[in-house]
């Protein structure tokens, strides 16, 4: 392959990488997340850590300690020990299944 062909391939790959999935199901160009996407992460964490909370009372009900510990363990496995995403996901799924069956 020539340098030009390799450069064209890298350019196409970077364009595909830059395209992100939009909320509407289509693709949009740009690397920055919208405000809705940024706000969805804390809202998701709130629903996981306080499953009985509602829009009116978001932090009502008991705190889900197991979810927090599992999140921390997954983060440490991914970043500190460089474990792959699929094994971490499988381990978290099995831990969650065991927790729900026992509790």
């Amino acid at each position: 392959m020539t340098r030009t062909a390799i450069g064209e391939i890298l350019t196409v790959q970077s364009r595909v990488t830059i395209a992100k999935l939009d909320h509407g199901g289509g693709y949009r160009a740009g690397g920055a997340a919208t405000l809705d996407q940024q706000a969805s992460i804390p809202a998701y964490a709130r629903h996981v850590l306080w499953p009985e909370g509602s829009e009116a009372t978001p932090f009502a009900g008991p705190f889900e300690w197991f979810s927090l510990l599992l999140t921390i363990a997954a983060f440490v496995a991914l970043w500190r020990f460089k474990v792959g995403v699929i094994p971490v996901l499988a381990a978290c799924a099995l831990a969650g299944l065991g927790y729900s069956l026992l509790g």
Side-chain angles (χ1 to χ4, degrees):
M1 266 205 239
T2 64
R3 278 188 151 171
T4 307
I6 293 172
E8 289 174 5
I9 291 170
L10 292 177
T11 303
V12 169
Q13 287 178 347
S14 66
R15 285 184 190 151
V16 171
T17 305
I18 290 173
K20 289 192 169 195
L21 188 60
D22 193 5
H23 281 305
Y27 285 95
R28 66 174 177 82
T34 64
L35 187 59
D36 290 339
Q37 291 168 336
Q38 291 173 354
S40 66
I41 293 172
Y44 177 75
R46 187 183 73 219
H47 288 296
V48 169
L49 297 176
W50 286 277
E52 295 177 15
S54 65
E55 291 297 322
T57 56
F59 303 109
F63 185 78
E64 193 65 44
W65 287 102
F66 181 77
S67 297
L68 179 66
L69 294 175
L70 194 61
T71 302
I72 293 170
F75 179 79
V76 169
L78 288 169
W79 287 96
R80 172 68 175 97
F81 298 110
K82 307 292 185 202
V83 179
V85 173
I86 300 299
V88 170
L89 186 62
C92 289
L94 288 175
L97 179 64
Y99 178 76
S100 65
L101 291 176
L102 294 176

